[in-house]
Structures are given as structure tokens and as C-alpha cells.
Amino acid sequence: MVARLRAAPTAAWVWAFAAYSWTVTSVSAAWFARRLAAGRGESLSVAASLLWQGGIYAAWLPTAGIVWLVLRRLGAGARGIAASFAAGLAIVPLEALAASLIDRAFIGGGGGPATRMLERTPVCLLLYSAIVAVGLAAVHHRRAREARARNTLLEAALAQARAVAAPPPGVERLMVMSGARRIPVEISAVEWFGAADNYVVVHWAGREGLLRATLQSLEARLDPRLFARAHRSSLVNLAHVREARPLSDGSWRLTLASGDEVVTSRTYRDALLERLGGRAG
């Protein structure tokens, strides 16, 4: 049961929390409204108080959905926060107006719409700020789950690469230019390839040399369980990856056995994950 709850999508948690918050807030506000009415010598039924306060706070549910969609699309960084602030400039007055109209329908009283809106605005600001805060937390939670899932796939790929890394008899070698010499280098010993105009720079055992080829042609002939594109200009041997660290922009920094570091762009990261996911399926 606990495992199923943990596996529930972030959106499910968000809407469950929204439903819980609406229920608790509506019931608590209805109880307070009845106490306030009794103190003024007025009578307010339980059903009327629940309908009154439930209507006011139900008007916030679409706002929660808007905030969640904005933050989900733009993220929890500066763009998402700025968009939420801009949306709040329109949402808060509208929510204050809706609440004032609902108040008037249930309890009447004096004061024009502008006065009632001003009275409701502080509470509306507080509620909107709370919704945005919950949305930011939900987006962080969702991105953390996605990052963990990606890292799990990457770890699986690294483990698979290490399992097939041992070269079989008669393993293919590359004739690499190192200075004035051409030396044979086992493909399994190569840590990564880097594009350099019409050549490819071969990195192995802390050394490097040149190979007249293209990354695309190399990628077509190499074992996809071992080698994966990290960038349009680099090809990495996954068996030599010592550490994979996620970066804030969603890319990975791969640290190889020699200490070299190669950054995997989001484009090739997603392509690798898609390939691994299809293989797992």
C-alpha cells in the first residue's frame, strides 16, 4: 500500500491535497461563520454555511489548476515564478470579486462591490501565495522523481556496458595516429571520441590520437551497448564512466575513469533514455 502511494503521480498528490485543503478549509470557515452569526444574534444553518464557504473556496480550484499547468510547463525557476506572479495580478482581484459576490448572495449587507473586494483581497493574496508555494513544491517533487527515473536507466546502461566490456578474442582495433606513429588501440579501451573537423580525437588510458573518420560512421559500427552519443561532437564508452552527475539544466556530467569529463546534452540524454526504454520494453 505504501509503495503504491509512493508510486502515485505527482499530479494525483496535488489534486488530492487540493481536495483535502478545500474540504478542511470550507468546513472550518463554515464553523467560524456560524459562530460569528450567532454572536450577532443571527441564525445560519449548517447547510447554508457549508454552501456559502464551500462556494467561496471552490472558486480557487480552477486557480490551482492554472498555477499547476503554468509551473509544470515553465518550471520552478525564474520563468515559472514570474509567470505565476503575472497571473496573480489578474487572478487575485477576480477571486476577491467572486468571494464578495458570494458573500452578498448569502449575507447581504451594505458596502459596494469595491469595498467588499478590498476586504477580501488580503485573504485572497494569502491563498494565492499558498497555492503557488504548493505548486513550486509539486514541480520540484515531480522533477526529482523524473531525475531519479533517468538516473536509474543510466545506471542500468552503465552496468550493461561494463558487463559486455571484456573484449572477445580477435577484438577489433583502431589504427590511431599518435604523433608520427600509427598505433593499434582496442575499441573497448577507448573512453570517448571527440569530433575535430574531418578527424575524430580518440581518448584512451589518459592518451589521445587522431582517427580519420566521422562520429556518425563510428557510431554505426560500434556496439550500442557500449557507446552512446553524449553530444553531437562526442561519443562515450559507457563502460568507462565512473560517475554520472545530473546538472541543473537536465543534462549529465559524465566523469570517465581517466578523470576526463564529458557533458551529455539534454537532446542526446533523451535519445539515450528512449533507446534504453525501448530495449527494456
Side-chain angles (χ1 to χ4, degrees):
M1 181 64 178
V2 175
R4 288 183 180 179
L5 289 175
R6 288 178 178 175
T10 302
W13 284 101
V14 169
W15 288 113
F17 180 77
Y20 165 79
S21 300
W22 173 78
T23 301
V24 171
T25 304
S26 297
V27 171
S28 300
W31 175 83
F32 179 77
R34 291 194 72 217
R35 290 288 301 269
L36 192 63
R40 295 198 302 261
E42 301 172 356
S43 177
L44 185 64
S45 68
V46 173
S49 63
L50 286 173
L51 188 60
W52 173 21
Q53 298 302 320
I56 288 175
Y57 294 106
W60 284 96
L61 295 179
T63 293
I66 292 171
V67 169
W68 170 243
L69 290 175
V70 167
L71 293 177
R72 183 177 177 180
R73 182 169 183 82
L74 300 180
R79 285 201 311 159
I81 294 174
S84 299
F85 175 78
L89 296 177
I91 290 174
V92 169
L94 288 174
E95 291 289 356
L97 176 61
S100 66
L101 292 175
I102 294 172
D103 285 343
R104 187 178 184 87
F106 278 90
I107 60 174
T115 301
R116 290 176 177 273
M117 282 181 62
L118 287 175
E119 291 174 349
R120 278 289 185 175
T121 296
V123 175
C124 291
L125 283 170
L126 178 63
L127 288 172
Y128 186 74
S129 299
I131 289 172
V132 172
V134 171
L136 291 171
V139 169
H140 279 297
H141 177 265
R142 182 172 178 267
R143 290 200 167 184
R145 289 187 60 175
E146 291 175 347
R148 286 195 297 270
R150 288 193 297 265
N151 290 344
T152 299
L153 276 176
L154 178 61
E155 288 299 328
L158 298 181
Q160 183 185 57
R162 295 182 187 112
V164 300
V171 67
E172 184 180 1
R173 292 175 169 83
L174 300 172
M175 297 304 296
V176 178
M177 293 180 289
S178 180
R181 297 185 304 155
R182 290 171 60 87
I183 58 177
V185 178
E186 292 183 357
I187 289 180
S188 60
V190 177
E191 289 192 345
W192 66 286
F193 297 98
D197 294 329
N198 296 324
Y199 291 86
V200 170
V201 182
V202 183
H203 299 263
W204 81 100
R207 303 172 63 185
E208 62 180 49
L210 291 177
L211 182 68
R212 191 172 183 83
T214 64
L215 279 183
Q216 186 174 0
S217 64
L218 275 175
E219 187 177 17
R221 62 187 277 201
L222 295 174
D223 189 340
R225 295 173 300 174
L226 276 176
F227 289 89
R229 277 287 186 113
H231 192 270
R232 62 183 178 85
S233 60
S234 59
L235 188 63
V236 175
N237 187 339
L238 298 177
H240 288 281
V241 175
R242 186 178 64 196
E243 181 184 23
R245 181 173 299 177
L247 302 178
S248 59
D249 63 353
S251 59
W252 283 322
R253 177 182 286 119
L254 306 179
T255 303
L256 303 175
S258 64
D260 287 352
E261 292 184 341
V262 179
V263 174
T264 301
S265 67
R266 290 184 61 180
T267 301
Y268 288 98
R269 178 207 72 184
D270 292 342
L272 173 61
L273 292 176
E274 183 178 354
R275 188 184 77 189
L276 293 174
R279 185 181 302 156

